[in-house]
Amino acid sequence: MEFDNDRPVKHTGKIEIFCWVLLALMNPLMNCLTFFLNDAKIWWFVFGVNLLLLPAYIFYSAIIVSRFLYKKKYVQFFGLTILFLVVIQLILSGIYSIIWDFGSQAEQAYFTYSFSTVIRECLWSIIYTLIAIAIYFINKASDERKLLIALQKDNNNFRLKYLRAQLNPHFLFNTLNSIYSLSMQKSDETPNVVLKLADLMRYLIYECNEDKILLSKEIEFIRNYIELEKIRYNADIRFEIEGDADDIMIEPLLFISFIENGFKHAFDSAYTNAFIYITIKIKPEQIALTVINNTSIDLETQAKKIQGTGIRASKNMLELLYPTSHALHIIQTEKEESRSTELRMQNARRRLENLYPDSHTLDVILSNNTFTVSLILKRA
């Protein structure tokens, strides 16, 4: 829905046009086919009379119905409707008297304003007023539906902005913690981390205000974040892109929370050989993010941790943007438990085989205490 000075700009809908065309043609067609089937020259007069009255019915629908019937001013509405019908009959009697002077005997019989003519024209006028009322309420319902859709869209946009506003300070807070820990160690890498942070903040401030951005820019943002984490940690960190990201548009900040969560849990544990593998696979039909990281956290604790601000906001964004076209899989395997619980091992393997057909990746997951996130977005 368009707005002009905060007021909706109304466009005539197809249904409304069809109804007015029907109103303009119904009476002439019925009368011409009934009374003047063999007298085609009079058809123009009959259609002309109806077209002359059409603006009156449009006025009735737009003014009288909207200002009185819709606002439940029934007494005024019925009074004005009776007055409107009387005016219509007076106009018709004047027009018919003019046509009567030039018509043939059959035409004079039709246009003579007798009792039967009054009844006929009154019935048509009542039918037309009912159609005009129906047109108004159909149009009103259509406008309200469009307004509701527009409001829902605005509401979704505001929710998205709110969720992104949650992600930005959350991400900045975690990154500042990284810089703080490096500065406490008096690390020589601290200036490089600050520069990386500047690049990340530039992206968050200037790029993420758009509804969609190039996937290549989002990947570059992720790459800068991973490079920053590589400075902090001496671990097995891998980032791979499969497929062509050129000219693909995507909503910003959909992936970063899941990647950040992987780093947080991989290095916030007692595991000595920490690793995190991140892959983005781009196919014609979908975009898939995979994050695999080690963890020493038990299942119950992990279930509580994945409800944090960043993950929760990202899940809400996915529900808004891809309500029926995304799949999010979060799977945790435990090396020791998998040996003693054969059924659980089989279920985990079955789910993981569908996500990771590569046997090497699957072996890494199942032979360690791992936390795996797979996000699949279907492309339109």
Side-chain angles (χ1 to χ4, degrees):
M1 180 171 287
E2 299 177 17
F3 291 85
D4 181 17
N5 295 329
D6 296 329
R7 291 178 298 179
V9 177
K10 182 180 177 182
H11 299 284
T12 305
K14 293 180 180 179
I15 296 178
E16 183 180 2
I17 294 173
F18 170 79
C19 290
W20 286 120
V21 171
L22 178 66
L23 187 146
L25 298 179
M26 187 166 59
N27 181 0
L29 282 175
M30 291 284 291
N31 288 329
C32 288
L33 294 175
T34 303
F35 296 101
F36 306 109
L37 184 61
N38 299 318
D39 190 6
K41 63 182 176 60
I42 201 63
W43 287 23
W44 297 105
F45 291 101
V46 178
F47 277 97
V49 170
N50 218 52
L51 289 175
L52 284 174
L53 294 176
L54 183 61
Y57 288 104
I58 294 175
F59 169 84
Y60 176 82
S61 177
I63 303 301
I64 297 177
V65 176
S66 65
R67 295 187 179 181
F68 296 95
L69 179 59
Y70 181 72
K71 295 181 179 179
K72 299 181 180 180
K73 299 178 179 179
Y74 299 121
V75 175
Q76 296 95 317
F77 169 73
F78 284 115
L80 288 171
T81 298
I82 292 171
L83 178 62
F84 175 79
L85 293 173
V86 170
V87 171
I88 291 294
Q89 298 309 309
L90 291 174
I91 294 173
L92 283 173
S93 65
I95 296 173
Y96 283 5
S97 65
I98 296 173
I99 298 175
W100 187 87
D101 292 335
F102 300 97
S104 64
Q105 185 175 0
E107 293 163 359
Q108 287 179 349
Y110 175 84
F111 290 114
T112 298
Y113 220 70
S114 62
F115 178 77
S116 61
T117 304
V118 171
I119 297 298
R120 183 190 70 213
E121 297 302 335
C122 282
L123 287 174
W124 276 115
S125 297
I126 292 171
I127 292 171
Y128 273 20
T129 53
L130 292 175
I131 293 174
I133 292 171
I135 290 172
Y136 172 80
F137 281 101
I138 290 171
N139 199 40
K140 190 70 177 178
S142 176
D143 288 344
E144 289 177 352
R145 188 182 72 255
K146 291 176 182 178
L147 181 60
L148 179 61
I149 292 171
L151 291 174
Q152 288 175 339
K153 184 177 180 181
D154 288 341
N155 181 51
N156 286 344
N157 288 335
F158 286 131
R159 287 182 64 188
L160 282 174
K161 289 178 180 179
Y162 170 72
L163 292 170
R164 286 172 185 164
Q166 281 186 307
L167 285 175
N168 287 0
H170 178 262
F171 175 80
L172 177 60
F173 175 76
N174 289 339
T175 308
L176 288 175
N177 274 342
S178 301
I179 297 175
Y180 174 74
S181 63
L182 287 174
S183 64
M184 291 296 291
Q185 299 168 14
K186 301 189 184 302
S187 172
D188 294 336
E189 296 292 344
T190 303
N192 292 333
V193 174
V194 173
L195 290 175
K196 289 289 182 184
L197 177 61
D199 291 336
L200 296 174
M201 291 307 300
R202 190 177 298 110
Y203 176 84
L204 292 172
I205 293 171
Y206 296 111
E207 301 287 347
C208 290
N209 290 326
E210 302 295 329
D211 291 336
K212 290 194 175 185
I213 57 168
L214 287 169
L215 177 58
S216 56
K217 289 187 176 181
E218 183 79 359
I219 289 174
E220 186 61 29
F221 168 71
I222 292 170
R223 197 185 304 277
N224 285 335
Y225 172 74
I226 292 173
E227 290 300 320
L228 185 149
E229 294 296 337
K230 283 183 178 180
I231 294 173
R232 291 181 59 199
Y233 302 111
N234 182 20
D236 186 7
I237 301 173
R238 304 178 192 179
F239 181 45
E240 297 179 358
I241 305 295
E242 298 180 13
D244 186 8
D246 294 339
D247 301 324
I248 297 176
M249 304 299 290
I250 193 171
E251 290 76 6
L253 303 178
L254 283 180
F255 297 152
I256 190 62
S257 288
F258 301 106
I259 295 171
E260 186 184 11
N261 183 74
F263 277 102
K264 179 179 177 182
H265 295 152
F267 304 114
D268 185 21
S269 68
Y271 203 81
T272 54
N273 299 317
F275 66 85
I276 179 168
Y277 303 153
I278 303 163
T279 305
I280 296 178
K281 295 182 181 180
I282 305 159
K283 298 181 180 180
E285 70 279 3
Q286 66 182 33
I287 301 171
L289 167 72
T290 301
V291 182
I292 306 169
N293 61 271
N294 63 280
T295 181
S296 61
I297 304 173
D298 60 83
L299 291 173
E300 185 177 352
T301 305
Q302 184 68 63
K304 295 177 181 178
K305 282 183 172 289
I306 62 174
Q307 299 302 320
T309 302
I311 295 293
R312 187 171 63 250
S314 294
K315 286 182 177 179
N316 290 335
M317 286 173 62
L318 289 168
E319 290 296 332
L320 282 173
L321 297 169
Y322 301 92
T324 59
S325 58
H326 84 277
L328 179 61
H329 301 273
I330 299 177
I331 306 171
Q332 184 170 354
T333 60
E334 294 187 40
K335 182 179 178 182
E336 296 303 322
E337 185 181 351
S338 64
R339 292 172 178 169
S340 59
T341 312
E342 184 177 353
L343 178 61
R344 183 179 178 279
M345 185 68 168
Q346 290 175 353
N347 292 336
R349 178 179 286 276
R350 193 177 302 114
R351 292 181 66 192
L352 290 163
E353 281 176 346
N354 291 329
L355 297 172
Y356 311 107
D358 174 49
S359 59
H360 172 72
T361 304
L362 188 60
D363 287 341
V364 170
I365 297 173
L366 293 174
S367 61
N368 292 276
N369 290 354
T370 59
F371 186 75
T372 305
V373 174
S374 175
L375 171 61
I376 300 173
L377 303 178
K378 295 180 182 178
R379 296 175 60 183

